[in-house]
Amino acid sequence: MAQDGRNIDEPVVFGEEKGSVRLTILNRPRHLNVISSEVVLKLAEYLEMWEKDHETKLILIKGAGRAFSAGGDLKMFYDGRESKDSCLEVVYRMYWLCYHIHTYKKTQVSLVNGISMGGGASLMVPMQFSVVTEKTVFATPEASIGFHTDCGFSYIHSRLPGHLGEFLALTGARLNGKELVASGMATHFVPSAKLADLEARLVSLDSGDVDVVQSTIEEFSEKVNLEEDSILNKQSIINECFSKESVKQIILAFEAEGSKEGNEWITPVIKGLKRSSPTGLNITLRSIREGRKQTLGDCLKKEFRLTVNILRKTISPDVYEGIRALTIDKDNSPKWNPATLDEVDDEKVNFVFKPLEDDIELHIPETEENRWGGKYETSGFASVRG
């Protein structure tokens, strides 16, 4: 038995063929199906093969155990902190894969019955159909550990209603399954007790026809009614506060709202914001704001640059301190550098957004003929790494 709860000879990603349906199973259950280099390699391999396969009509993806995917493998990043660009191969491959998931040519359905956070959610939200349950938990908490909202989420969040995207990216607030449907980041809510039956029906369809798949899912889905205290019912406050120009102004406006009767829900959110990396918050806010005017490809190229510079500690070592405090020592007492929002230098933040050396930019396919081109193996970065 492997350390993550699978047999030693089992792959980290299963790819099963059932008639014209292809089932993808993320298979690191004890590690909440976090995304490692091997996971990215296998996913890309399967998706390219199946998109080109005339027999394949429908793609399903799900996670083994109690998580869909908790996102990137933070320990992998932390272990490579002293070696420059040690994780850039997996980062390149992941962002390149994100582009293909967003633009995939065949019908895809994600079955999300559990944790779906950060990069893990990038395997859910872009799908043509994303099915969630009462057990689904979504969040993009990267800013809190000195990172930024990545894997295409500067594109996704910047297109949510009002300023909900800034709120989710800066606070790392969690949404449940019904809230994901209401926000537009999932398409259907299906009770977890019905999920296995839905999967079986989808497999038996032998069809990738969008209308057929949709009507089948709708047979199992339920209408979404939000709880009264749902964060989505606080949209007017969110829009008022998270439309402010800077993180500092956002926090001040949010605090002012929190002092009003009936807004007690704001207090713990403010505490979380104030515990987060000042650098991570600033980078994330700017990235979301820029995302509104950028294409998907532009967002992914920008996110790649940000990730390279953050992992290189170009302006701050916060990402490694955040990972240490959260998952290594688990003391939840990070020492940020710089320590406050006032100390974050805008010019330094500008620096992490600038283009990288030409040979290690992310290459997004620009023509249909080159759709699966631009792989890591053919990038300048690969040749530099040897």
Side-chain angles (χ1 to χ4, degrees):
M1 181 71 73
Q3 283 188 335
D4 54 7
R6 57 192 170 87
N7 291 328
I8 196 69
D9 57 345
E10 286 184 348
V12 295
V13 179
F14 273 119
E16 298 181 358
E17 299 187 3
K18 298 184 176 184
S20 65
V21 178
R22 305 294 178 257
L23 180 61
T24 315
I25 305 171
L26 304 173
N27 189 43
R28 301 183 70 196
R30 282 190 59 189
H31 290 285
L32 305 180
N33 298 321
V34 295
I35 300 170
S36 65
S37 180
E38 189 179 357
V39 169
V40 175
L41 277 169
K42 291 304 297 181
L43 280 174
E45 181 182 298
Y46 283 132
L47 289 179
E48 179 177 1
M49 176 174 64
W50 291 336
E51 188 179 276
K52 293 176 177 178
D53 175 22
H54 296 301
E55 300 300 317
T56 299
K57 298 176 181 177
L58 177 65
I59 312 291
L60 306 180
I61 182 170
K62 66 178 184 178
R66 65 187 181 92
F68 178 71
S69 173
D73 189 340
L74 296 183
K75 188 175 185 299
M76 171 185 67
F77 290 113
Y78 189 77
D79 288 347
R81 66 193 182 281
E82 299 302 334
S83 177
K84 183 181 177 182
D85 293 345
S86 65
C87 294
L88 265 295
E89 177 179 343
V90 64
V91 169
Y92 186 102
R93 292 184 187 277
M94 184 63 190
Y95 293 0
W96 182 87
L97 176 62
C98 284
Y99 177 83
H100 290 83
I101 291 172
H102 274 266
T103 60
Y104 205 65
K105 304 301 183 185
K106 296 188 176 179
T107 307
Q108 299 179 96
V109 181
S110 56
L111 303 172
V112 184
N113 189 35
I115 298 167
S116 179
M117 294 187 178
S122 71
L123 308 178
M124 171 191 79
V125 176
M127 300 290 181
Q128 200 155 13
F129 299 102
S130 45
V131 177
V132 292
T133 76
E134 75 281 359
K135 295 181 180 179
T136 305
V137 181
F138 164 91
T140 46
E142 296 88 350
S144 66
I145 62 165
F147 200 51
H148 67 107
T149 307
D150 70 330
C151 291
F153 272 97
S154 71
Y155 180 82
I156 294 166
H157 278 348
S158 65
R159 283 155 178 78
L160 292 178
H163 293 274
L164 179 62
E166 283 101 323
F167 173 79
L168 294 174
L170 294 175
T171 67
R174 297 186 175 194
L175 298 182
N176 60 34
K178 291 182 178 180
E179 290 170 327
L180 283 167
V181 174
S183 71
M185 286 193 287
T187 60
H188 295 84
F189 179 86
V190 173
S192 59
K194 296 183 179 180
L195 204 58
D197 290 338
L198 169 60
E199 180 184 327
R201 277 288 300 282
L202 289 171
V203 169
S204 70
L205 286 179
D206 196 35
S207 172
D209 182 273
V210 171
D211 293 334
V212 172
V213 172
Q214 180 170 324
S215 62
T216 300
I217 297 173
E218 286 174 352
E219 289 178 33
F220 293 82
S221 66
E222 293 184 356
K223 184 179 178 181
V224 165
N225 293 306
L226 293 176
E227 299 293 330
E228 186 178 344
D229 63 351
S230 169
I231 200 69
L232 299 186
N233 290 328
K234 319 290 188 185
Q235 188 78 46
S236 61
I237 293 176
I238 288 171
N239 288 345
E240 172 64 26
C241 298
F242 285 79
S243 61
K244 303 303 182 188
E245 185 175 345
S246 68
V247 176
K248 186 174 182 179
Q249 290 171 342
I250 286 171
I251 291 176
L252 288 172
F254 208 32
E255 282 183 316
E257 288 293 333
S259 66
K260 298 177 182 178
E261 187 174 349
N263 286 347
E264 294 78 13
W265 63 275
I266 291 177
T267 300
V269 183
I270 288 286
K271 287 182 179 178
L273 274 169
K274 290 184 173 181
R275 285 197 302 266
S276 298
S277 159
T279 300
L281 291 173
N282 273 274
I283 292 172
T284 294
L285 179 62
R286 176 168 166 182
S287 181
I288 299 295
R289 295 270 165 88
E290 287 190 359
R292 285 197 169 89
K293 300 177 182 179
Q294 293 174 322
T295 65
L296 170 66
D298 288 338
C299 281
L300 288 167
K301 289 177 181 178
K302 170 196 64 187
E303 291 170 6
F304 181 72
R305 293 167 186 162
L306 294 178
T307 296
V308 170
N309 279 315
I310 289 171
L311 294 179
R312 285 177 172 178
K313 300 176 279 191
T314 300
I315 64 170
S316 170
D318 275 6
V319 67
Y320 299 114
E321 175 63 5
I323 295 172
R324 180 206 63 76
L326 179 69
T327 66
I328 307 300
D329 298 333
K330 300 180 181 179
D331 57 24
N332 291 312
S333 297
K335 303 295 186 292
W336 303 126
N337 181 19
T340 67
L341 289 168
D342 286 334
E343 294 175 89
V344 178
D345 188 323
D346 288 342
E347 283 304 311
K348 288 186 176 180
V349 172
N350 289 341
F351 190 80
V352 299
F353 282 82
K354 291 181 179 178
L356 301 162
E357 310 93 294
D358 289 340
D359 57 353
I360 63 167
E361 287 286 345
L362 179 68
H363 296 288
I364 299 295
E366 296 180 359
T367 64
E368 285 303 305
E369 294 76 17
N370 190 43
R371 171 156 170 74
W372 291 93
K375 289 184 172 72
Y376 170 81
E377 288 83 356
T378 61
S379 69
F381 181 73
S383 63
V384 170
R385 296 285 291 173

